[in-house]
Amino acid sequence: MQMQLHEDAPRLVVPDRAEATARMKIDRAGWAVRSYARFDRAAVMRVTRAVAEAAHKAAQEYAEWAVRETGMGVVEHKRLKNELSAHPLVDFYENTDLVNPRVDTGRKMVEIPKPAGVVLALTPATNPVSTLYYKAILALLSRNAVIFSPHPLARACCAHAAARLEAAAVAAGAPAGLIQCIEEPSVPLVQALMASPKVQVILATGGGPMVRAAYSSGNPAIGVGPGNAPVYVDPTADQTLAAQRIVDSKAFDNSVLCTNESVLISLAENANRLERGLRAAGAHILSEPEVGKLRAWLFPHGHLNTAAVGKSAVWIAQQAGLRVVPSTRVLIAPVAQVGLDEPLTREKLCPVLAWATAETFERATGMAQMILRMTGAGHSAAIHCEDPQKAMDFAAALSVYRVVVNAPCSQGAAGFATHLAPSFMIGTGYFGRSSVGENIGPQHLVHWTRLAWNSDASVQMGDFGAVRAPFEGQAPAPRPAPAPAAAPLAEAGGMDRDMLRQLILQELRELTRGQS
Amino acid sequence: MFNYGFFNFDSKAELLDKAIEYWNPGKTKFWQDAGIDLVIDRREGYFLYDMSGRRLIDLHLNGGTYNFGHRNPELVATLKSALDYFDMGNHWFPSVARAAFAEKLVKTAPGMKYAIFGAGGAEAVEIALKTARYATKRRKIVSIIKGYHGHSGLSVATGDDRFSKIFLADRPEEFVQVPFNDIDALERALRGRDVAAFIIETIPATYGFPMPNDGYLKACQELCRRYGTLYIADEVQTGLMRTGMMWGWQSYGLEPDMFVTGKGLGGGIYPISACVVTEKCGGWLHEDGAAHISTSGGSELGCVVGHQVIDILQRPEVISNVHFVADFFHRSLNQMMAAHSDVFVGIRQRGVILGLEFDHPEGAVAVSRALYENGVWAIFSSLDKRVLQFKPGVLLDVATCQEIVDRMEAAMPRVRALLRSPRRAA
């Protein structure tokens, strides 16, 4: 080893503490989930609700913190997203039972849910705390433990939020270690953790390389690819309403949701009407020279200037040397081409919207597909139209798994303005090199053990009415010292029989043998 | 062919012959006779591999030496790093590693002032007893019957006469023993106000971890205070988070005058031990700091490793893990005992220190063997062969713990068979 006596660099190499500690977190999560996976549904819902309540209460605090720490997004919108990832998310799954076995006497089958175990969850800088809330709730609903690896740009707010949710879970009777967060996230560390045989599934949200790394880790992964949603406005749509929705969606949290509209496509025949609507809603339509300036600033050497991500339209205009009124919410850049030759039609994650015009509906659909061919396959698209046939044709032609109709796409595709599942993980399926094509929910973190009877009519299944369910209710928390256990009551059904038996045996032994 | 580069053996049998011929015939034959033909080869985490390739889960841990498992990657990296810069060092001089480690260690123990280093537990006990004699100007040492504090001159004299008489190292005139958990006996021994120190393992390991009665240790400490005797806590097996707290004496609310730590302090990769003392006891360090000298005691390599050992033990994840492991075995062993109450009759537990009682004078010898045949290595208590020492590591994970219990369950019929057979276990 080279000695470095001349400077303050450490003279000894200290082993990577972050990695060692993170591996201990995985083991700890394993212990936590061993206990939590035996909770009954009432106890699971109680813990989840308690965590949702803690999340809800801190929504504003973490919205402010995330914006402060990352410099991205809008506090008010982040608060809303945080709130939506608390109680409304739990409400959505209120009737999705992932705890009790299902008995299907017709098919002579019993299905027992088995939680994945330890979930390694990556959270992005763009939606840090809302994603953390969302993944924590998913893990709790499915009786899993979760370890967060936040994007380094958002690590402080995530670590704090995770600790708060963990404390709420513990206060509601959950074992400690169910919700943990890596304090010092780094790319090598998360790659090492993703390959751990003690991680059962990775929930990867983040840049393309990180998602690919999750899939390459050798562990099961649910990763989602990038978005780049095309939005088509048909002449049959209410142009004013459509324009309003699009501008609202683009302005929402400064477009950091991957579901935000990226390229607007309209027909020549409704372009003027749409333009009036867009201006009225607060969009600034750029002139051709302005488009050139914006392109040069936003895509220097053809690559997205990440400084723009999550920034406001006014800030971006200033940086690009454009003059806009202070009330400008969205910058709209008319473009002649779409696809590889026009960088403005790529994913931008900021309130800049490219706008292309086509002569026919078929040509517009082709343009949308061209955009997705470049990036955003499997993700989202939107259509504003009153013609069901066109909506059908548009969706059938595109390589996406959700097409939002007459709604803002940012919120709509993420399940907040539609009846899609509320989600910060938009499954991009096979088009988008992902394993799941729908919005990710707690059901994706559970697999089922199926007891399947002989289908022959002569074989009877037996009565499952009185069969004991494979869980124990809430377990008592582990005790630090071997003090005599206080009689632990199973919340759901009084004292557990095994527990009672043990207590009696223990007492008998003490009576007969004295203290040992 | 077992080729180790530096040396090689044709077979395990050849190794055993050589061990008998050149190393230690008694120990080698003892295990052969006990049906435990173990020659530990490769080792990793909490797993040992016999030369035959057979895997064993290690619940012996040499009394906590392998608290973190074998060759813990973080500790191995630490030692390698230290080797790139330091060696054992020169004990005459102050050193960065010794000062840093001493500070780290002292700060884990409220009330303590100095850490005096040795290379092994016995040396640390030796230091403690000498320190007590210096501080009190008294010569007598009291310990408990079946206590165990090592095999060097003074330390061996405190222990069971099995280990002292053979070497004519017993000194009954200076070393008095009293029964464990007998507070009156201790008072009788201290009453003469001529006892320098009372030394006791916080939970006597080699005696099979009998638990101190409620208030016993505290009462011992109070008697010591009353009669001017120093209280020495031997924490070699109870320290380093094994009771669920850093030091066992903390978990009993004690304030010893000195305590001794070793084994796991070096993480199983570099030997180091320490006697940690209060200001009151540490007078000789002022009068003549070179009064006790040890070339390998407080080796700087060991200090770097020990520093990291303490650092790891202070992480919240580790503390939480210890509690999970302790809780797991509390529950599952109680269940197992309920199902096998004909032979398995008691559990002594504090944290991850467990003694399992079997209803036969040599019950634990049979259990040790049956477990060995079922892939688990746990040793009986030398001084009470009814009791199996059951010592899970602080970093154990769920899967390994469950496997231990499954393997134990599988071994129970064999335990019964061994206990029934006329030849008994060994």
Side-chain angles (χ1 to χ4, degrees), chain A residues 228 339-342 345-346 369-376:
Chain A
N228 193 33
L340 278 174
D341 300 324
E342 176 51 85
T345 59
R346 294 199 204 140
Q369 183 65 4
M370 245 176 103
I371 290 160
L372 293 168
R373 200 172 289 129
M374 176 174 59
T375 177

Side-chain angles (χ1 to χ4, degrees), chain A residues 11-13 15 17 20-21 24-25 27-28 30-31 34 176 198 476 478-479 482 502 505 509 513 516, chain B residues 74 78 81 85 311 317-318 320-321 324 327-328 330-331 335 337-338 349-350 357 396-398 401-402:
Chain A
R11 297 171 190 224
L12 272 67
V13 179
R17 181 189 168 128
T21 309
M24 291 170 185
K25 285 181 198 291
D27 279 343
R28 186 170 181 237
W31 281 111
R34 180 182 176 274
K198 293 176 178 177
R479 302 141 306 109
Q502 271 180 39
L505 277 169
R509 268 192 297 275
R513 295 179 37 259
S516 58
Chain B
E74 193 178 351
T78 300
S81 173
Y85 202 91
D311 186 86
E317 290 81 7
V318 176
S320 176
N321 207 74
F324 276 121
D327 188 63
F328 172 85
H330 172 78
R331 286 171 209 228
Q335 264 171 21
M337 183 166 65
Q349 180 179 14
R350 195 165 185 92
E357 299 167 29
L396 273 172
D397 64 4
V398 180
C401 287
Q402 276 169 338

Side-chain angles (χ1 to χ4, degrees), chain A residues 396-418:
Chain A
L398 296 192
S399 305
V400 294
Y401 293 109
R402 56 201 65 67
V403 176
V404 170
V405 185
N406 294 338
C409 197
S410 275
Q411 300 95 320
F416 299 117
T418 61

Side-chain angles (χ1 to χ4, degrees), chain B residues 296-313:
Chain B
S296 52
S299 155
E300 293 178 43
L301 297 171
C303 285
V304 177
V305 172
H307 190 276
Q308 192 69 357
V309 160
I310 299 294
D311 186 86
I312 293 174
L313 288 172

Side-chain angles (χ1 to χ4, degrees), chain B residues 45-104:
Chain B
Y46 290 102
F47 300 128
L48 300 173
Y49 295 84
D50 179 62
M51 279 179 83
S52 67
R54 202 161 79 85
R55 194 199 71 175
L56 291 150
I57 303 175
D58 190 2
L59 283 179
H60 178 184
L61 303 186
N62 288 68
T65 305
Y66 303 108
N67 211 12
F68 298 108
H70 294 272
R71 299 192 303 109
N72 176 280
E74 193 178 351
L75 292 176
V76 169
T78 300
L79 178 57
K80 284 180 176 172
S81 173
L83 280 166
D84 282 334
Y85 202 91
F86 293 125
D87 52 21
M88 282 166 52
N90 183 333
H91 68 89
W92 281 102
F93 294 95
S95 95
V96 290
R98 273 192 291 274
F101 181 38
E103 180 181 7
K104 185 112 181 157

Side-chain angles (χ1 to χ4, degrees), chain A residues 310-321:
Chain A
K311 298 298 196 307
S312 70
V314 173
W315 187 87
I316 290 168
Q318 274 170 357
Q319 298 295 310

Side-chain angles (χ1 to χ4, degrees), chain A residues 135-154:
Chain A
K135 290 184 179 178
I137 299 273
L138 256 52
L140 292 175
L141 284 169
S142 53
R143 293 187 297 173
N144 286 292
V146 62
I147 298 173
F148 288 104
S149 177
H151 190 284
L153 282 179

